[in-house]
Amino acid sequence: AALAGTAAADAKEGARPESELIDDIVELVSIPSVSALPAHKADVRQAVEWFAARLRRGGWFPDARVMETGGHPVVLATLDATIPDDAPTVTIYGHVDVQPVDPLDLWRANPYALRRETLNSTGEDILVGRGACDDKGNLLAALAGIEDYLGAQRGNSLVRVAFFVEGQEEIGSPQLESFIEAHKDTLATDYVLSADGSQPAPGVAGIVVGLRGAMALQVDVVGPAQDLHSGFWGGVVANPLAGLARLLSTLHEPDGTIAVDGFFDGVAEPTDKERESMDRFPFDEAAAMAELGIAEWGPGERGRSLLERRWTRPTIEVVGMHGGFTGEGIKTVLPSAASAKLSCRLVPGQTPARALAAVSAHLEREAARIPGLHVDVSELSFKADPYYADADSPANAAAARVLEGEYGAEPVLYRIGASIPAVGYFAKHLGARTTLLAFSHQDERAHSPNEFFRLDGGMRRARRTYAAILPALAEEHAKARAQGGARDEL
């Protein structure tokens, strides 16, 4: 059944009952904060304002405020507590915007009415709703854990804590870089902990040492001035849909290897330590294929393992195509135009600008070989720098200690094939590396219908971990200072 929010938090109390945390998730999930759709612009602002109010309501972050970016706004907040003068600053990052819910008919119930269900495959208790794991549940569990720590310490903190929560991550954070650069003095921090991300698998902890970057573009192919009767003009007038298909087919070799000159320039090979981690990583190929509903893996680079291809190699994917008649039945029309959207995932050594230049040059060169059509290539707003971090940084060392205590086993090192633009901006403009400390899992249907968040393996684990990470990080920071440096080399 759908859950209803009822409880309210008193300022600066001790550990709050779990029911109050769930109530918070209920309330935030009920806001349809879809950043990609203009119709939900006010909802994104409402979610941002709700989170700022929640920070203030807890009593520890009374200055929580909404700030404008030129797009969807952000929340900034700083801790009000007794803190040593030499304490490091730790910024908690997350986002309150979500993906669209389409296709709506695949949801078992209203996606914005959080529901408690049982996961059929394991019997685990889960929370189901849009944003349950990405990222509203993770973010609120992190806040609850930090408040648990502060309450237990009676307002004495070994670290300075700040919050940076955005409302545009799901559309690539287009205004975030300029905002961070303009406010870098206010945002100055030693470390960032991201409540956005995941763990490798239920029951398995990991330290993320890399994220792929991203770049997106649109390809528009234009032919005749209007749609034409395919019987009168087919075979003599160039077909934009056929031309687009031909053009896109040149991006890859038949075996799936990317065929764009210069696209791989600067790409580094995985380290020996990373290859060892890949060998240890709990990846069941058969189970993954069954979950994805596929009978075999798609083509890809020769001589590369699946994990290498997912984590350490760049991609070019067609993520949308449009043209001609797409309704039921048939309309014998030769379309006047066709278009496609491409998403490229990038790895350390690449930049969005160089990748865009290489793909654009390739498409323009191949387009010249297709007579009768005009091709235009334009950049889309989704963009992120690739990210790589030292596994032994103070924050990662602290996370490894806490996670090993939580899971009872040493965390594996791994990369994520997805992108979080803010992580690169924090490194570039603030000189601060990010430790991904989130507790969703790849089977929890983020971005898909019936998204869910595990109660025990997700929400509760996140809360306990965030309560423990701050003192551990203070200790690792002190060790690093004693050894002559407290940050990664950027």
Side-chain angles (χ1 to χ4, degrees):
L3 302 170
T6 56
D10 293 325
K12 298 192 176 182
E13 63 179 6
R16 299 167 61 219
E18 182 175 282
S19 61
E20 294 186 4
L21 170 55
I22 293 176
D23 285 347
D24 282 343
I25 301 174
V26 167
E27 290 188 32
L28 191 52
V29 165
S30 73
I31 304 171
S33 48
V34 182
S35 52
L37 302 179
H40 289 285
K41 181 179 180 180
D43 297 314
V44 177
R45 177 171 293 276
Q46 181 186 355
V48 169
E49 291 175 345
W50 184 97
F51 194 81
R54 171 61 187 84
L55 284 167
R56 294 191 298 268
R57 180 163 49 110
W60 299 108
F61 299 92
D63 72 340
R65 68 270 189 203
V66 174
M67 296 191 68
E68 303 303 325
T69 66
H72 296 302
V74 300
V75 178
L76 303 184
T78 53
L79 174 63
D80 178 20
T82 302
I83 306 169
D85 291 340
D86 61 350
T89 298
V90 179
T91 297
I92 311 302
Y93 165 79
H95 65 90
V96 294
D97 63 314
V98 296
Q99 286 280 332
V101 295
D102 311 72
L104 187 59
D105 60 353
L106 294 183
W107 286 84
R108 292 190 293 272
N110 179 355
Y112 301 116
L114 192 74
R115 299 173 65 84
R116 186 165 180 165
E117 298 183 2
T118 300
L119 188 61
N120 290 335
S121 58
T122 64
E124 295 172 279
D125 287 333
I126 59 175
L127 300 175
V128 183
R130 175 56 87 225
C133 71
D134 185 18
D135 178 39
K136 294 176 178 181
N138 261 304
L139 180 60
L140 285 166
L143 172 57
I146 289 169
E147 290 178 336
D148 290 346
Y149 163 76
L150 295 169
Q153 297 298 312
R154 299 184 180 277
N156 296 288
S157 177
L158 296 174
V159 298
R160 305 177 199 280
V161 182
F163 270 84
F164 184 106
V165 175
E166 63 164 312
Q168 51 181 262
E169 192 276 340
E170 297 291 7
I171 55 172
S173 305
Q175 286 81 32
L176 210 63
E177 181 170 18
S178 60
F179 178 86
I180 291 173
E181 185 175 16
H183 297 85
K184 59 185 177 182
D185 292 338
T186 300
L187 300 173
T189 190
D190 296 290
Y191 309 102
V192 179
L193 300 178
S194 174
D196 185 24
S198 63
Q199 292 298 324
V204 179
I207 299 292
V208 174
V209 295
L211 293 166
R212 288 199 287 199
M215 179 275 293
L217 62 153
Q218 179 159 324
V219 183
D220 292 294
V221 181
V222 179
Q226 65 277 326
D227 290 354
L228 302 177
H229 190 299
S230 64
F232 292 160
W233 299 107
V236 294
V237 174
N239 185 318
L241 267 175
L244 177 63
R246 176 179 167 185
L247 188 61
L248 297 178
S249 72
T250 68
L251 293 169
H252 299 84
E253 303 289 355
D255 66 0
T257 301
I258 292 172
V260 176
D261 290 343
F263 190 73
F264 286 96
D265 290 354
V267 172
E269 291 292 323
T271 65
D272 290 341
K273 191 172 184 178
E274 281 191 293
R275 291 188 186 280
E276 292 174 7
S277 289
M278 288 183 207
D279 292 338
R280 293 174 50 213
F281 192 80
F283 181 59
D284 184 328
E285 290 190 25
M289 285 193 290
E291 180 186 333
L292 297 171
I294 60 174
E296 59 182 337
W297 297 108
E301 284 187 81
R302 294 179 294 273
R304 303 282 181 181
S305 71
L306 286 172
L307 290 182
E308 277 187 272
R309 285 158 55 186
R310 289 178 63 196
W311 296 350
T312 72
R313 306 302 291 173
T315 66
I316 302 175
E317 296 291 342
V318 180
V319 296
M321 295 179 69
H322 179 76
F325 177 70
T326 59
E328 291 187 25
I330 181 68
K331 180 181 180 182
T332 54
V333 63
L334 191 157
S336 62
S339 64
K341 295 180 187 294
L342 307 182
S343 170
C344 303
R345 298 292 174 166
L346 312 176
V347 297
Q350 294 179 294
T351 68
R354 291 206 312 270
L356 175 65
V359 176
S360 297
H362 173 93
L363 291 171
E364 290 165 1
R365 182 172 60 252
E366 294 297 326
R369 302 176 182 178
I370 305 175
L373 298 173
H374 172 75
V375 176
D376 182 63
V377 180
S378 57
E379 183 180 11
L380 298 175
S381 61
F382 187 70
K383 180 171 64 175
D385 291 322
Y387 175 77
Y388 193 78
D390 177 6
D392 298 320
S393 70
N396 279 342
R401 283 174 46 198
V402 173
L403 290 172
E404 184 168 359
E406 173 66 32
Y407 285 80
E410 181 182 350
V412 296
L413 301 179
Y414 72 114
R415 297 197 204 183
I416 290 178
S419 309
I420 303 177
V423 168
Y425 302 150
F426 292 141
K428 181 178 179 180
H429 298 292
L430 306 182
R433 292 292 186 179
T434 299
T435 294
L436 271 66
L437 200 61
F439 292 85
S440 54
H441 303 90
Q442 290 186 11
D443 68 342
E444 291 178 347
R445 301 174 185 167
H447 296 198
S448 299
N450 303 304
E451 175 183 347
F452 68 91
F453 193 33
R454 286 174 168 84
L455 271 175
D456 195 42
M459 186 190 77
R460 292 170 184 144
R461 242 182 188 142
R463 183 174 186 171
R464 291 192 298 265
T465 300
Y466 271 87
I469 189 65
L470 298 183
L473 181 48
E475 184 177 335
E476 293 295 336
H477 176 80
K479 286 181 185 177
R481 287 190 64 187
Q483 296 168 2
R487 286 193 183 180
D488 301 275
E489 291 297 324
L490 298 180

